[in-house]
Amino acid sequence: MRLLADARDNRGEVSMDNFYIYTDHMTVGYNGRPLIRDIEIKVRRGEILTLIGPNGAGKSTILKSITKQLSLIGGTVYLEQKNMQAMSDKELSRKLSVVMTDRIRPELMTCEDVVAAGRYPYTGRLGILTDNDRKIVRESMELVHALDLCDCDFTQISDGQRQRVLLAKAICQEPEIIILDEPTSFLDIRHKLELLTILKKLVREKQIAVIMSLHELDLAQKISDTVICVHGDKIDKYGTPEEIFTDSYIHKLYGLTSGSYNADFGCLEMEPPHGRPEIFVIGGNGSGIAQYRRLARGGVPFAAGILHENDVDYEVAKALAAEVVCEKAFEPVSGETYQRALAVMKECRQVLCCLQEFGTLNQKNRELLEEAKRQGIEIV
């Protein structure tokens, strides 16, 4: 279990006073049956902690247990050093707001009504909103770009719009921590980025703490301060994105049996076509990536070269090409590497050149193209 160095007191022990919310030997599950034991979560204000892991691993169960939607089977959750189980719902709702994936279907409520429900911790028994409450409702909707939905029936809007309205409701509570379960699941790419940008802004400017689960590994890698990996009946790993998002560990966590995950790009690649290379692709500096993926989609095995090992093309070529001819980073292409590329190219029926220009270290690729023409290999 990873412990943050600056959370230690002067005796070298971890001080829980540094964390806004933390768990102590939390065990979660259903109907009294443990699913995951001894969960240790520690989050400061101004930090984002993200849960990742395969479907069904228990990420939602952990979040629901933290928010008291499920009873704990064991252990304790502390909020500002107070046992959350002893806090009243109203006291808790002034500090913590929740956005879950459960489909709520409020009858005869506009989107503005749904967001306004986030003010209930601050209203009297009659739930009457003050002018300031209404101002906060409007500001929250504007923040998530949902102001145009004010008068719309909540049940008639799209899943993505519904997610933004629910985030506005959570923001409207003026919480100190927000817990979200797969908040980007129903959003298009624009609104995924907007939502995460809003969260990052709240974290940075208002020092809110965020705990959420995400399926999009590329987004989790970019936005998280710490990451918890849920696998099987345990927390498999806890660390920074740099510690978690490596090719080998993500393959292990998700049990990848086909395709590959690229930690540098934060993306997945499909399984490469099988067979001897039919096309030799001369690329580099990002020029070949689109062609590698096009050939792979078409099931055409290909070779790629000559690429330096620090070239942006190299990682994708390594994942998709039947063979990659490469040279060490920053080194001129050697005669030996050129001859190897030439031998591979001669076995191909076509050559595809993606380069418009050839730099000083790339002249051997120009020679390859010229040799292909002399040999009568088809250039496409």
Side-chain angles (χ1 to χ4, degrees):
M1 185 66 64
R2 175 182 176 272
L3 299 175
L4 301 174
D6 57 352
R8 296 180 183 275
D9 62 20
N10 56 14
R11 293 173 300 174
E13 297 177 355
V14 176
S15 170
M16 294 301 105
D17 293 346
N18 289 280
F19 298 103
Y20 182 74
I21 186 170
Y22 63 92
T23 65
D24 180 28
H25 297 291
M26 182 173 76
T27 298
V28 303
Y30 294 90
N31 302 318
R33 297 180 61 184
L35 176 65
I36 306 173
R37 300 175 185 271
D38 295 327
I39 302 165
E40 306 291 336
I41 291 175
K42 305 173 182 69
V43 188
R44 298 182 185 85
R45 293 187 63 169
E47 288 185 347
I48 295 176
L49 181 145
T50 303
L51 278 64
I52 66 170
N55 285 336
K59 300 184 294 297
S60 296
T61 305
I62 291 172
L63 297 182
K64 288 179 179 179
S65 300
I66 292 173
T67 58
K68 297 172 66 173
Q69 295 179 50
L70 288 174
S71 297
L72 293 178
I73 293 177
T76 313
V77 180
Y78 293 95
L79 185 67
E80 287 191 310
Q81 284 71 57
K82 294 181 182 178
N83 185 339
M84 277 180 55
Q85 296 299 314
M87 298 172 70
S88 70
D89 289 344
K90 192 149 192 172
E91 182 185 5
L92 189 59
S93 63
R94 288 189 176 216
K95 295 181 176 295
L96 181 150
S97 61
V98 181
V99 180
M100 289 292 181
T101 53
D102 299 339
R103 303 295 184 87
I104 65 169
R105 293 280 179 184
E107 296 295 331
L108 303 176
M109 290 182 71
T110 66
C111 292
E112 186 174 15
D113 294 334
V114 171
V115 176
R119 295 303 299 164
Y120 88 89
Y122 307 97
T123 61
R125 290 185 178 181
L126 298 179
I128 297 173
L129 298 179
T130 65
D131 289 342
N132 185 57
D133 289 325
R134 295 190 182 281
K135 177 173 175 285
I136 293 171
V137 169
R138 289 286 175 140
E139 288 175 348
S140 300
M141 296 190 75
E142 185 174 19
L143 187 61
V144 301
H145 309 289
L147 205 52
D148 58 325
L149 301 173
C150 274
D151 298 323
C152 296
D153 184 328
F154 184 77
T155 63
Q156 299 300 313
I157 61 176
S158 71
D159 286 335
Q161 291 170 325
R162 195 172 292 126
Q163 197 78 338
R164 283 188 282 144
V165 170
L166 292 177
L167 178 60
K169 175 179 177 289
I171 294 169
C172 195
Q173 284 179 232
E174 297 184 298
E176 296 176 3
I177 180 169
I178 300 179
I179 295 182
L180 310 99
D181 188 17
E182 300 177 23
T184 57
S185 291
F186 305 117
L187 302 181
D188 59 33
I189 187 169
R190 170 193 164 187
H191 291 112
K192 284 180 193 287
L193 293 173
E194 285 181 354
L195 183 145
L196 295 179
T197 299
I198 290 164
L199 286 178
K200 199 67 177 175
K201 184 177 181 181
L202 290 170
V203 166
R204 184 174 61 249
E205 296 181 1
K206 297 184 181 295
Q207 288 296 290
I208 288 175
V210 170
I211 300 177
M212 63 179 169
S213 62
L214 282 179
H215 277 306
E216 298 93 336
L217 297 184
D218 56 331
L219 298 179
Q221 185 176 7
K222 293 173 177 66
I223 195 172
S224 309
D225 294 297
T226 51
V227 180
I228 285 181
C229 306
V230 187
H231 188 261
D233 60 351
K234 67 182 187 300
I235 301 301
D236 194 63
K237 197 169 184 179
Y238 189 152
T240 65
E242 293 72 28
E243 292 168 331
I244 299 298
F245 292 99
T246 65
D247 296 357
S248 59
Y249 181 68
I250 294 299
H251 274 76
K252 173 192 167 189
L253 177 64
Y254 287 91
L256 298 185
T257 56
S258 62
S260 60
Y261 170 79
N262 186 294
D264 293 327
F265 288 178
C267 68
L268 298 169
E269 298 293 349
M270 299 298 291
E271 188 79 11
H274 296 291
R276 297 179 63 83
E278 300 176 16
I279 297 177
F280 190 95
V281 183
I282 299 174
N285 197 32
S287 65
I289 292 176
Q291 297 303 325
Y292 303 155
R293 289 175 175 157
R294 180 181 67 83
L295 292 169
R297 283 197 306 272
V300 180
F302 66 93
I306 302 168
L307 298 172
H308 284 85
E309 290 178 348
N310 63 332
D311 195 298
V312 68
D313 276 12
Y314 176 70
E315 292 296 333
V316 180
K318 191 169 63 171
L320 296 178
E323 187 166 353
V324 181
V325 182
C326 60
E327 185 58 84
K328 291 180 180 178
F330 307 113
E331 294 290 338
V333 177
S334 67
E336 180 184 353
T337 301
Y338 174 76
Q339 289 300 322
R340 187 156 55 87
L342 187 61
V344 173
M345 185 182 72
K346 287 180 178 179
E347 295 296 318
C348 296
R349 57 180 172 81
Q350 293 177 325
V351 169
L352 171 59
C353 183
C354 305
L355 296 171
Q356 300 297 319
E357 297 178 350
F358 298 87
T360 303
L361 294 180
N362 206 22
Q363 288 303 309
K364 291 296 184 181
N365 275 329
R366 183 198 294 274
E367 293 179 25
L368 270 182
L369 181 61
E370 292 171 351
E371 184 62 28
K373 292 175 182 177
R374 281 194 293 271
Q375 296 279 339
I377 302 173
E378 182 183 2
I379 310 296
V380 293

